[in-house]
Amino acid sequence: MSLKFYYDLMSQPSRAIYVFLKVTGIKFESKPTILGKLGHKSEEFLKINPIGQVPVIDDNGFIVRESVGILRYLCREKGIPDHWYPKESKAQAKLDEFIEWQHIGLRLPCAFYFKLKWLEPRLTGEKPLESEIERFQPLMLDSCDLMETFWLNHNKKFLFGNHLTIADLLAVMELEQPKLCGFDPRQGRPRLAAYMASVKSETSPYYDEANKIIDKLASMSKL
């Protein structure tokens, strides 16, 4: 098998690519790289990615190290349906518009909120700084509101119509991460709730499979 996939399902982009590979039927060799066990710092992994981050793919010796680049590459090279990342210029531009926004507009606030409130306290044993949480929480709420009022302000199932795209997978995995902090972006946002339910249904059973670990940890956090 030529395609190797290095990932940790605690990583939002890793989950997006995992679901994409499963739903599209792209065969791959699974290479779990557990961040909590410093798998990303191992000598073997650093040969693949000196930056020390997941996800990464190795396609018969050709290595791609960033999630959006990985998804675009797979869409071009693996003969999957065009709706995932359309070749038509204007449709592709609109998809790219969201993908470029989500790096700062969605991923940054959701990921930092999760990191500050959940991850770092567990790694350091220290209480989170409320001032830092208060800095990112409004940004996260604004991002979720923008999903509700702008990006999903239409009558389609998904971001760009009635078929899934790579943008949908990137978005929902970022939106799932704050559940570990007790935050549910669906609350009070009916369009966003319906949208996330549609993505989950369309990618079943792989959506739950990819999110199993964070669902479990989120449930434990409520105890």
Side-chain angles (χ1 to χ4, degrees):
M1 189 177 298
S2 61
L3 182 68
K4 298 175 183 177
F5 177 39
Y6 297 80
Y7 65 96
D8 183 344
L9 294 180
M10 280 294 291
S11 153
Q12 304 92 302
S14 288
R15 295 199 301 273
I17 294 171
Y18 180 89
V19 171
F20 176 80
L21 290 169
K22 289 285 191 173
V23 170
T24 57
I26 298 172
K27 303 298 183 183
F28 66 96
E29 181 180 345
S30 182
K31 293 284 189 178
T33 305
I34 308 304
L35 304 178
K37 296 181 179 179
L38 300 182
H40 60 306
K41 300 297 184 183
S42 70
E43 183 177 351
E44 177 188 0
F45 182 75
L46 290 173
K47 289 178 182 177
I48 300 295
N49 187 8
I51 299 173
Q53 295 177 346
V54 292
V56 180
I57 61 165
D58 178 347
D59 190 16
N60 198 29
F62 181 72
I63 296 169
V64 188
R65 301 181 176 91
E66 289 292 331
S67 57
V68 173
I70 290 169
L71 287 165
R72 287 171 174 156
Y73 170 80
L74 293 171
C75 287
R76 291 194 302 268
E77 298 295 324
K78 300 303 177 180
I80 63 162
D82 187 65
H83 65 81
W84 284 102
Y85 188 62
K87 297 180 182 67
E88 195 276 321
S89 180
K90 290 182 178 179
Q92 189 179 110
K94 298 308 291 183
L95 196 68
D96 286 339
E97 180 181 53
F98 176 85
I99 289 173
E100 298 302 331
W101 171 81
Q102 69 91 27
H103 281 295
I104 302 298
L106 189 62
R107 175 164 172 73
L108 186 147
C110 289
F112 266 84
Y113 182 79
F114 156 73
K115 178 182 177 183
L116 293 166
K117 190 167 182 178
W118 192 91
L119 183 60
E120 286 187 351
R122 281 157 178 78
L123 293 177
T124 64
E126 298 178 2
K127 290 185 177 180
L129 291 174
E130 289 301 321
S131 59
E132 286 297 294
I133 292 173
E134 289 171 3
R135 177 185 170 198
F136 282 98
Q137 186 171 8
L139 297 175
M140 180 179 67
L141 295 174
D142 286 347
S143 295
C144 294
D145 288 342
L146 273 174
M147 288 293 295
E148 175 77 9
T149 62
F150 177 66
W151 294 108
L152 296 171
N153 189 19
H154 51 58
N155 294 318
K156 307 292 179 57
K157 285 177 66 176
F158 306 114
L159 280 166
F160 297 100
N162 293 316
H163 295 285
L164 281 170
T165 69
I166 60 173
D168 293 302
L169 298 184
L170 291 166
V172 294
M173 295 309 169
E174 296 299 338
L175 291 162
E176 288 285 3
Q177 199 76 356
K179 72 169 62 171
L180 289 162
C181 310
F183 173 73
D184 185 355
R186 302 167 181 83
Q187 294 297 318
R189 301 179 182 88
R191 287 195 190 105
L192 184 57
Y195 163 68
M196 292 180 71
S198 293
V199 177
K200 179 177 179 177
S201 176
E202 195 80 1
T203 58
S204 179
Y206 307 117
Y207 191 98
D208 285 339
E209 191 175 299
N211 285 289
K212 183 177 180 180
I213 185 170
I214 67 165
D215 287 340
K216 180 179 180 180
L217 290 171
S219 296
M220 291 170 61
S221 296
K222 294 177 182 177
L223 299 178

